[in-house]
Structure formats: C-alpha cells, structure tokens
Amino acid sequence: VFLADRVAVDNANTGTLQGYSQTDALMYYRRGNWRAQLNVKNIFDNEYYFATGNATMVQPAMSRMVVGSLKFEF
C-alpha cells in the first residue's frame, strides 16, 4: 500500500498528513484438499496516521497483524 506524499486532513485543507507505505505478505501451502495460509500486514510495523471517509477524521493505522487460516475443500 502506498499513499501520495501528503493528504489533506480536512475539507478546508488546514492541515496535512505525511505519506506512508505499508508492506504486506501472504504465504500458503496446499496439499490435496487442504490449504494452510499465513497473512502478515504491516510487516515492518510502521507507525502512521491516515484520514478516513471524506477526510473529517484522522486515525492511527493498525500495528503488525498476523492471521493464520486452514481451509478444506470438498
């Protein structure tokens, strides 16, 4: 994920946020009808803030998140 250098914080452009980048990854192993998967978001645990909706609210991004899953198809 990459966002431009600066983003307006509100509709009147009274403030800006610095740009940011986020690195995510996915790994999986499949054998027969089974699949094991591991997703990692924000691998480098970067701290940044982003504007939501129509730029009326600023919130911090989530820190590193790891999610594992198992899937069986029949």
Side-chain angles (χ1 to χ4, degrees):
V1 176
F2 176 77
L3 189 65
D5 290 335
R6 293 182 179 270
V7 174
V9 175
D10 58 22
N11 293 332
N13 291 328
T14 59
T16 58
L17 295 174
Q18 294 295 322
Y20 64 88
S21 62
Q22 177 179 307
T23 305
D24 302 335
L26 168 136
M27 295 185 304
Y28 71 89
Y29 175 76
R30 184 181 305 188
R31 182 164 185 145
N33 294 344
W34 290 92
R35 178 176 166 151
Q37 183 169 317
L38 183 68
N39 296 57
V40 183
K41 291 191 169 249
N42 198 3
I43 291 174
F44 302 114
D45 203 19
N46 296 332
E47 285 187 27
Y48 59 90
Y49 295 84
F50 62 96
T52 61
N54 59 358
T56 57
M57 185 171 68
V58 175
Q59 67 182 46
M62 291 181 66
S63 58
R64 181 182 306 120
M65 180 173 63
V66 179
V67 177
S69 63
L70 290 173
K71 179 179 178 181
F72 179 77
E73 294 178 345
F74 54 97

